Amino acid sequence: PVSGVTLTAQPPTGQVAEGDWLVLLCSVATGTGPLSFSWHRQGSPAPLATGPRYELRPAQQRDSGHYHCTATNGDSAANSSSLGVTIL
């Protein structure tokens, strides 16, 4: 099973000025088989993107919100904790 899904941000605070870049990274502590990743924002049912990296460039005011990533290996899936993103 997939476990230990972690979301990190660059910059680590998840806070950037409008027009700057924000990068979100998803990693997995354990999991076998080919892993796939999807990105989600609170209130949005459809995935924003796929892959272990999600970039907001340039970041816009509308990008503020809580994000999480989901990792799956086809048999099981796990979510990261939520990260609050603030665009100043």
Side-chain angles (χ1 to χ4, degrees), residues 1-7 26-32 35 37 71 78:
V2 176
S3 64
V5 180
T6 305
L7 185 152
C26 193
S27 60
V28 173
T30 59
T32 57
L35 294 171
F37 300 90

Side-chain angles (χ1 to χ4, degrees), residues 33-49:
L35 294 171
S36 61
F37 300 90
S38 59
W39 292 94
H40 307 270
R41 187 169 72 192
Q42 180 182 12
S44 175
L48 299 168

